[in-house]
Amino acid sequence: MKTRASSAGRERHLAQPSPAAALPALFAAMLSLTACGGAADSKTSDAPSPASEAAPEATPVPVPIPGLGATDYVPLYAVGTPVTEQIQYTEADGTLVTLAGFRPTNRHARERGEPWFDPVDVGPGRYFDFPTWYFQNRTFGLMIRDQVPAGRSRIEISLRVNDGTFINTGLSAFRRDDPNVGEYGWKMNVGFQNPKEGNTNTCHATSAREDCMVVITDNWRAPKPGTPFKPGDVIELAPAPFLPHTADNKAIIDGGGSRYYSFENLYQVGVGIRAWYGVAPLLDSVPLPDSTLLGGEASVSYNYSEEPHRAFQQMANNIGIADTRRFVEGRRLFHTSFVDGKHSESPDINPAFTQHANQLGPRYNNTRCIECHTLNGRGKVPTPGSTLDTMTIETAAASSTSGITPDPTYGINVQQRAQAVGAPDYSVSVKSYEKTTRTLPDGETVELQKPVYAFKGPVPAQYSIRQAPQVVGLGLLEAVDESTILALADPNDANGDGVKGVPNWAINPENGKRHLGRFGWKAGKASLRHQSGSALLKDLGVTSPVYKSLDCQKGVANCNASTAATSISETEIDRLASYLSLLGVPAQRSLRSGYPDGMRVAPEHDVDPTQISRGATLFAQAQCGTCHTPQLKTGANHPFAELRNQTIHPYTNLMLHDMGPEMADTLTEGQAGPGMWRTAPLWGIGSLKYVQGGAQNVRYLHDGRARTLLEAIAWHGGEATNSRNKFEALSKADRTAVLAFLESL
């Protein structure tokens, strides 16, 4: 079995980016960024670490390619940026140390909502959901000291508690595969005895690594249980924590629940934590092939608890220990109401975030972040007559050009709802749809619908209506070096394929520096911090260190000079951006899983690998990958080690492309004219029908006009015309194969 090399300050060795992503030599010399070491978190790593220091100041970088619209920019992350937390390193003798984060769950990974062999689906399991009180005092990790690369058959697993104390915490390992095993079953079940606590199973956040340790010296798995470990062997790890509690099972630390399960992660000897899928017999765990890892090692494993609707809510699979705490704290804020501070899930059980009660702006679109991003997916379907309050309506005055001049009524976007009784009604809705029919070469017809909008207030001179996108994989896109992205630009169509591609540029609202645009339908935001601050301001009317005053809504100069306390603190905007950064991307569902005979196969796993493979080939032949770039490599400078040096498959180049007049709005944003749109990532697109509660609730393209992927493709014009024509010229069976490939992403 293939293993991966390691080195001091180890970064995993991954496949190189595709030739299309390679830099021209001169451009590479001017823009390349080198790898750097990173600091370790003092609570979760015993590795030597450099002294803590501020990230190096990024310096402007020249852009040598003419036509990119800017002469210089500042990289988002400078060379030498220290990591927030180390997640893996190698000791001097070759021992590989992995720091793996865990969060609480309610049940097991293969436990459905009904018995395994019940043919009737009665509901999802509860493995992917988030228990009450998940966001405090309940995250932890395992420090795995793998001595096999050092020549010894010994693996030490230490429990590392982020906050407070755990008791009676068990570790189950080595999945059983005998015939009577189904939802769960392990060959090894042990506890973390602490010699400093009288060998009781009591572990504290302050405990040293040797205090709460389990030692495994041989492989318990078939075909030869009891043999020494060798590189490539796998161990399924399933910790289960307890918190000290009262007689009625309430946690002493905060009154919440006290008994939890956790994620069942797969550790591969000599490699680290791996995303996994189930094979015969009995959905046994094996590492997913690299080809399926859309998000690199941050990809989310296949799910067998029948919760595909929660696929976008999971942590990066390679997340560190302290970063797990950052993730859940950011998630709490993402789900918090700025009316009463209540959590969207179990609002009467989860403690309210009371410091954010009564912070909703006087005008707003919704009350929580999660309300515009359904289960971290897209907004609600725009139906005629309904208020588009999960969509963004960007606005500008008639005089606005590349820099946004605020609309005299709405400012930079329409806030459709108001707290004050009698406030003007600024709601926007779909009045009707203009429908046309497109006939493909073989006679198949596709109905296209284009929305016609109704404004209760004045119609803005310039406006752009955009649906909320899914939020997975954003940290990985943020981690791609500017040089890698700019190498994909072709502003003058040098290769003559009719596809140009130019970047957009964004001004950092906190310091005025120019960065490469990455986020938003027109790539108008540079970072997740920038994107988060903008959404808080425009959709919730909530201030943050990014936008310190509501006057920013009207475009007042120097709005960030305000000295008043913001609704969201510096700590919290960092948590929110961290949460978005560390969301994992579901692995591509292109493999058949090893369901036992007689067991109902979950719909998301009922796939045809041959058809999907054929569809991928045809996708490339139609030159769809010219814009939807299949593969990128992240850089070595993002603060999160989880996101560094990952080979990812987002199917985007993050460039702006002119999509033709039928796709145009009336707004210019930076270099993005009315018909120009950032290439939307395709990863996760096949999960939307589950996340949104059914295919009928999924909409595609920037304004949600397309009801199906076929309809979305039919709208592609401008620079995408050639690829659309190639797709439409395929046979019905081949078009179906391309759609099956897209549904697997």
Side-chain angles (χ1 to χ4, degrees):
M1 183 176 292
K2 180 179 69 175
T3 59
R4 301 180 184 184
S6 62
S7 61
R10 182 176 184 269
E11 300 287 358
R12 298 186 185 179
H13 296 269
L14 299 168
Q16 294 299 308
S18 62
L23 281 170
L26 175 61
F27 199 25
M30 300 183 74
L31 298 182
S32 61
L33 302 178
T34 57
C36 64
D41 184 278
S42 59
K43 181 176 288 187
T44 59
S45 173
D46 295 329
S49 62
S52 175
E53 58 183 28
E57 178 71 11
T59 56
V61 177
V63 180
I65 296 179
L68 294 187
T71 58
D72 58 65
Y73 69 92
V74 177
L76 199 57
Y77 298 110
V79 174
T81 299
V83 292
T84 303
E85 173 188 20
Q86 241 181 352
I87 60 172
Q88 193 172 66
Y89 59 90
T90 299
E91 296 178 345
D93 69 347
T95 296
L96 178 63
V97 181
T98 300
L99 300 131
F102 290 78
R103 69 163 177 89
T105 68
N106 279 308
R107 295 302 304 174
H108 295 285
R110 297 172 183 82
E111 202 170 2
R112 313 199 294 184
E114 64 282 335
W116 249 30
F117 291 96
D118 191 329
V120 179
D121 182 6
V122 300
R126 299 189 64 196
Y127 172 68
F128 258 9
D129 71 349
F130 286 77
T132 54
W133 300 78
Y134 70 89
F135 44 77
Q136 59 190 48
N137 305 316
R138 286 161 179 80
T139 62
F140 64 101
L142 299 179
M143 171 183 274
I144 304 169
R145 297 187 69 254
D146 179 355
Q147 299 181 31
V148 177
R152 297 179 291 275
S153 183
R154 179 182 174 90
I155 296 176
E156 300 173 352
I157 302 174
S158 300
L159 178 66
R160 310 306 300 270
V161 181
N162 272 329
D163 300 284
T165 297
F166 284 5
I167 61 170
N168 301 331
T169 299
L171 177 67
S172 301
F174 299 104
R175 176 166 170 77
R176 290 166 51 196
D177 56 13
D178 40 297
N180 62 337
V181 170
E183 293 92 329
Y184 50 87
W186 292 272
K187 295 185 177 182
M188 175 182 174
N189 295 280
V190 293
F192 291 95
Q193 272 65 45
N194 187 347
K196 295 180 181 176
E197 294 285 349
N199 283 324
T200 62
N201 192 328
T202 303
C203 304
H204 313 285
T206 55
S207 296
R209 80 173 191 217
E210 64 273 11
D211 293 347
C212 297
M213 181 188 296
V214 170
V215 177
I216 310 176
T217 58
D218 56 351
N219 188 356
W220 291 38
R221 287 172 59 95
K224 295 182 179 180
T227 58
F229 283 118
K230 65 181 185 304
D233 286 347
V234 293
I235 310 171
E236 182 171 307
L237 300 172
F242 263 104
L243 279 68
H245 51 274
T246 60
D248 57 354
N249 291 319
K250 292 184 178 180
I252 293 172
I253 194 169
D254 56 21
S258 63
R259 173 71 173 95
Y260 299 94
Y261 300 97
S262 72
F263 262 45
E264 294 168 22
N265 280 346
L266 192 69
Y267 181 80
Q268 187 169 31
V269 176
V271 179
I273 297 295
R274 297 296 310 276
W276 60 273
Y277 78 118
V279 299
L282 302 169
L283 295 175
D284 194 14
S285 310
V286 297
L288 277 162
D290 287 352
S291 61
T292 67
L293 301 182
L294 300 180
E297 293 177 29
S299 301
V300 178
S301 301
Y302 280 17
N303 170 248
Y304 298 105
S305 54
E306 299 198 350
E307 298 171 272
H309 57 297
R310 297 188 177 110
F312 289 171
Q313 301 187 59
Q314 308 311 313
M315 306 183 302
N317 194 63
N318 60 344
I319 195 168
I321 300 173
D323 286 345
T324 300
R325 177 171 54 195
R326 294 183 179 96
F327 177 90
V328 298
E329 289 173 341
R331 186 183 190 273
R332 176 193 188 186
L333 187 58
F334 200 78
H335 285 253
T336 292
S337 166
F338 287 88
V339 175
D340 55 19
K342 289 189 175 183
H343 199 290
S344 67
E345 301 162 337
S346 304
D348 297 324
I349 299 176
N350 277 319
F353 210 168
T354 54
Q355 53 266 55
H356 293 304
N358 303 311
Q359 288 188 333
L360 193 69
R363 296 201 70 95
Y364 61 97
N365 287 320
N366 249 301
T367 62
R368 297 179 174 95
C369 300
I370 191 67
E371 289 176 346
C372 288
H373 302 275
T374 303
L375 298 181
N376 284 359
R378 303 188 175 188
K380 294 185 299 185
V381 169
T383 55
S386 61
T387 301
L388 302 179
D389 54 10
T390 67
M391 302 183 80
T392 294
I393 295 91
E394 306 277 348
T395 57
S399 59
S400 183
T401 54
S402 59
I404 300 296
T405 301
D407 178 87
T409 300
Y410 306 114
I412 56 177
N413 76 296
V414 182
Q415 293 177 319
Q416 300 177 68
R417 300 163 69 182
Q419 295 206 56
V421 176
D425 185 353
Y426 288 158
S427 60
V428 182
S429 62
V430 174
K431 179 181 179 181
S432 60
Y433 286 100
E434 296 176 349
K435 297 189 176 183
T436 58
T437 299
R438 182 171 182 81
T439 303
L440 306 188
D442 64 357
E444 182 179 2
T445 59
V446 183
E447 183 186 66
L448 306 180
Q449 61 174 22
K450 186 175 183 178
V452 178
Y453 297 107
F455 287 78
K456 287 293 181 68
V459 178
Q462 296 186 36
Y463 66 91
S464 179
I465 298 185
R466 308 172 188 177
Q467 70 164 321
Q470 63 263 33
V471 295
V472 296
L474 302 182
L476 291 162
L477 295 179
E478 189 178 64
V480 179
D481 284 344
E482 287 83 358
S483 57
T484 300
I485 298 170
L486 292 173
L488 301 174
D490 186 11
N492 302 307
D493 191 16
N495 61 5
D497 64 356
V499 179
K500 294 184 178 181
V502 297
N504 209 351
W505 302 98
I507 300 301
N508 187 324
E510 298 181 80
N511 57 29
K513 295 180 179 179
R514 185 195 309 278
H515 298 296
L516 177 67
R518 301 169 190 255
F519 302 113
W521 287 100
K522 289 184 182 282
K525 303 298 184 293
S527 67
L528 289 176
R529 180 184 174 95
H530 187 185
Q531 178 69 31
S532 299
S534 176
L536 287 166
L537 178 76
K538 294 194 292 187
D539 295 323
L540 301 168
V542 171
T543 59
S544 72
V546 181
Y547 292 104
K548 296 182 179 180
S549 169
L550 292 178
D551 289 339
C552 296
Q553 177 69 13
K554 293 292 184 181
V556 174
N558 299 318
C559 65
N560 291 86
S562 172
T563 58
T566 56
S567 299
I568 298 294
S569 69
E570 176 62 35
T571 297
E572 290 170 326
I573 192 70
D574 181 66
R575 286 174 176 168
L576 189 57
S578 295
Y579 167 64
L580 295 173
S581 294
L582 293 166
L583 282 165
V585 179
Q588 183 182 10
R589 290 173 290 103
S590 55
L591 304 175
R592 294 291 296 187
S593 297
Y595 281 88
D597 291 341
M599 185 178 181
R600 178 180 50 81
V601 176
E604 67 269 25
H605 294 304
D606 190 8
V607 300
D608 182 343
T610 300
Q611 185 187 46
I612 291 169
S613 178
R614 173 67 176 159
T617 299
L618 294 166
F619 180 88
Q621 290 177 359
Q623 298 179 343
C624 301
T626 304
C627 299
H628 291 286
T629 304
Q631 181 171 298
L632 296 171
K633 180 76 174 288
T634 66
N637 299 301
H638 196 282
F640 287 121
E642 294 91 335
L643 309 178
R644 292 185 174 190
N645 300 313
Q646 298 297 317
T647 298
I648 61 175
H649 305 280
Y651 292 90
T652 178
N653 58 9
L654 296 177
M655 290 287 110
L656 298 173
H657 294 278
D658 189 339
M659 298 296 289
E662 288 300 314
M663 285 272 281
D665 54 26
T666 62
L667 185 73
T668 295
E669 183 178 350
Q671 291 218 112
M676 299 184 75
W677 301 97
R678 182 198 70 157
T679 303
L682 297 181
W683 53 14
I685 200 166
S687 293
L688 282 173
K689 63 184 176 184
Y690 305 109
V691 173
Q692 306 293 143
Q696 73 279 5
N697 298 322
V698 180
R699 292 295 182 268
Y700 305 96
L701 304 180
H702 65 281
D703 56 4
R705 67 177 67 181
R707 294 156 291 183
T708 66
L709 287 170
L710 184 61
E711 190 178 344
I713 294 169
W715 275 110
H716 280 50
E719 296 175 35
T721 301
N722 182 51
S723 290
R724 184 200 67 210
N725 289 341
K726 287 178 179 293
F727 168 79
E728 292 179 345
L730 297 173
S731 68
K732 172 73 171 179
D734 282 351
R735 290 198 300 270
T736 300
V738 173
L739 297 177
F741 161 67
L742 294 174
E743 289 282 0
S744 76
L745 298 178

